[in-house]
Amino acid sequence: MRRVIDYLVYLIVRTFICVLQALHMETCQVVAAWLATLLADVFKPRAAVIDDNLRHAFPDMSERERRQVAWQMWNHLFTLIVEIAHAPRKIHDTNWRDFLVLHNADTLTRLGLGERPIVIVSAHFGNFEMAGYLLAILGFPTYTVARTLDNHYVDSFLNRFRSRTGQHMIPKRGGYDQIVDVLARGQMMTFLADQYAGSKGCFVEFFGRPASTHKAIALFALANDAPLVVGYARRQKGRPLHYDLVIESVADPRSGEDHVSSVPRLTQWYTSELERVIRGAPDQYWWIHRRWKDTRPAKKRRKQAA
């Protein structure tokens, strides 16, 4: 029965995507705005979490401004889905310049053509699904860690989009050996580095509050002599399917700088870099995550704070 239900859900998703593909982008934008209003003002899923996150991240932001950012976030998420539906038919290796502005291209080229592995970190910011898609179009295929969806049919459909231009997917669970192999071969590994990592994670400051962060990302970079790159694909304002693909900053283990001296310091460095990026366009960030859960014993919290 579960398999039948999953397949029916898959058919609904495929039908929805087909409808989006048949519509003009301008019409899709109207649909995205209508759906955003439905979720932000009517059904309000995770409204308390979103408002709490924004209130702590931007204490000077008024309640009205927080509601506006919440609506913009939902509109961004639905636009992201529209872009995934349209991108394979509209963006390819001969016309990418019509849709993409590449920032710090010299850094990307130097790292991408070098012999060392690269660890790229981003967040649920901008169109993170398009980031790997666009990098592969530029000739830099990546290996990306992603959680396997419970619905096998939908998961396979999404991964076909991700791999269309040469992006390779590694499951979040059980993918350690594959990650090690990718880095040993000098390839690019990408991670979304802004999700709660549990009570045993590395707690660093993120928007002024302790946030549990996965230790493995910094460890992979340091153990493999891999430059750690903070990058993202941010949608240009008011222009769906048009992006700024940005190499924001690089931490090189060979530099000897303080922030590459240990796993906690490197984790704090890239988390602070991501925070700075998000502050520049908070409407393009997923505020729906319970990012700041802290289940550590009170004694351990006080020790780290000291």
Side-chain angles (χ1 to χ4, degrees):
M1 178 59 70
R2 172 61 184 273
R3 192 170 181 176
V4 172
I5 293 174
D6 283 352
Y7 192 72
L8 289 174
V9 170
Y10 164 72
L11 290 178
I12 293 172
V13 170
R14 286 302 305 268
T15 301
F16 180 64
I17 294 296
C18 288
V19 170
L20 291 179
Q21 291 174 333
L23 297 175
H24 291 293
M25 182 58 72
E26 294 76 11
T27 304
C28 289
Q29 287 181 262
V30 173
V31 173
W34 181 80
L35 291 173
T37 300
L38 200 62
L39 266 68
D41 299 333
V42 181
F43 295 112
K44 300 182 179 181
R46 303 181 76 84
V49 173
I50 295 168
D51 189 69
D52 182 70
N53 288 342
L54 287 170
R55 185 164 46 84
H56 280 88
F58 300 97
D60 295 331
M61 189 179 286
S62 68
E63 181 180 355
R64 180 179 179 181
E65 290 171 326
R66 293 197 303 272
R67 288 200 304 268
Q68 182 179 14
V69 171
W71 182 90
Q72 291 171 334
M73 180 205 71
W74 286 116
N75 185 55
H76 162 68
L77 295 185
F78 288 119
T79 302
L80 181 151
I81 295 171
V82 169
E83 290 172 329
I84 291 174
H86 280 260
R89 298 185 177 188
K90 295 187 176 181
I91 305 178
H92 44 80
D93 56 1
T94 62
N95 72 344
W96 61 265
R97 291 176 181 82
D98 296 335
F99 299 91
L100 178 65
V101 176
L102 182 58
H103 298 259
N104 296 327
D106 54 339
T107 300
L108 175 62
T109 302
R110 174 174 54 83
L111 294 173
L113 297 180
E115 297 182 354
R116 298 165 68 191
I118 302 171
V119 173
I120 300 177
V121 295
S122 193
H124 288 82
F125 172 82
N127 196 327
F128 52 89
E129 289 288 356
M130 287 298 301
Y133 184 93
L134 295 170
L135 277 173
I137 282 180
L138 294 175
F140 300 106
T142 62
Y143 290 80
T144 303
V145 174
R147 186 180 73 84
T148 303
L149 300 180
D150 295 333
N151 188 314
H152 166 73
Y153 303 103
V154 177
D155 185 71
S156 297
F157 172 65
L158 180 57
N159 284 337
R160 285 196 295 275
F161 162 78
R162 289 165 166 168
S163 61
R164 184 182 293 267
T165 59
Q167 185 179 192
H168 309 281
M169 307 309 300
I170 296 177
K172 191 172 183 178
R173 287 189 179 183
Y176 175 82
D177 290 340
Q178 292 176 261
I179 296 172
V180 171
D181 180 64
V182 168
L183 294 172
R185 289 187 282 111
Q187 302 295 312
M188 284 187 182
M189 273 300 317
T190 65
F191 300 88
L192 291 179
D194 64 327
Q195 289 188 299
Y196 176 67
S199 59
K200 295 183 179 180
C202 180
F203 279 83
V204 296
E205 288 293 310
F206 185 50
F207 283 95
R209 287 193 287 173
S212 177
T213 309
H214 292 284
K215 304 172 185 176
I217 297 173
L219 186 60
F220 282 135
L222 295 176
N224 291 274
D225 188 33
L228 192 151
V229 177
V230 175
Y232 56 90
R234 179 182 58 211
R235 182 183 305 110
Q236 295 174 6
K237 189 171 182 179
R239 301 187 72 196
L241 275 182
H242 291 76
Y243 311 96
D244 291 303
L245 187 61
V246 183
I247 302 300
E248 183 70 20
S249 47
V250 181
D252 191 335
R254 295 183 182 179
S255 69
E257 295 179 286
D258 186 62
H259 59 263
V260 294
S261 62
S262 68
V263 168
R265 289 180 179 179
L266 184 53
T267 304
Q268 180 63 73
W269 174 82
Y270 75 67
T271 300
S272 298
E273 291 293 296
L274 290 175
E275 177 183 328
R276 181 166 56 83
V277 168
I278 294 165
R279 285 186 179 277
D283 56 305
Q284 292 196 37
Y285 184 62
W286 286 28
W287 297 102
I288 57 178
H289 290 143
R290 295 184 182 275
R291 181 68 177 90
W292 290 274
K293 291 183 289 186
D294 194 344
T295 56
R296 296 174 296 171
K299 183 177 179 180
K300 193 169 184 179
R301 295 186 199 182
R302 289 194 298 269
K303 183 179 179 181
Q304 181 157 344

